[in-house]
């Protein structure tokens, strides 16, 4: 698994991460960029995306 220094690098360099990030609602993208500085792998991004999906469903 590739590890990138920042979320921005992850999204720019990893096609799967770019696709996953692109499917998130704009407000979730902004929140991740501003608040989640610990996202450095696809798995990290996947967990964060799942968290946003659960919140959107009211879990």
């Amino acid at each position: 698994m590739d590890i990138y220094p920042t979320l921005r690098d992850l999204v720019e360099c990893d096609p799967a991460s770019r696709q996953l990030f692109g499917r998130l609602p704009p407000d979730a993208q902004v929140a991740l960029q501003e608040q989640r500085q610990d996202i450095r792998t696809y798995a990290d991004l996947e967990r964060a995306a799942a968290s946003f999906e659960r919140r959107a469903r009211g879990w």
Side-chain angles (χ1 to χ4, degrees):
M1 172 181 346
D2 292 331
I3 300 173
Y4 295 90
T6 66
L7 172 60
R8 181 180 177 153
D9 290 331
L10 174 66
V11 171
E12 286 180 1
C13 299
D14 183 62
S17 295
R18 185 178 319 113
Q19 185 178 25
L20 176 58
F21 188 78
R23 289 194 311 257
L24 294 171
D27 60 326
Q29 291 179 10
V30 170
L32 288 177
Q33 290 171 333
E34 291 179 350
Q35 300 169 9
R36 299 294 305 268
Q37 300 304 315
D38 59 340
I39 298 174
R40 294 190 168 88
T41 66
Y42 179 83
D44 293 340
L45 181 57
E46 199 171 37
R47 280 190 294 276
S51 174
F52 274 99
E53 287 177 9
R54 283 192 301 273
R55 285 185 218 155
R57 284 184 267 155
W59 293 69

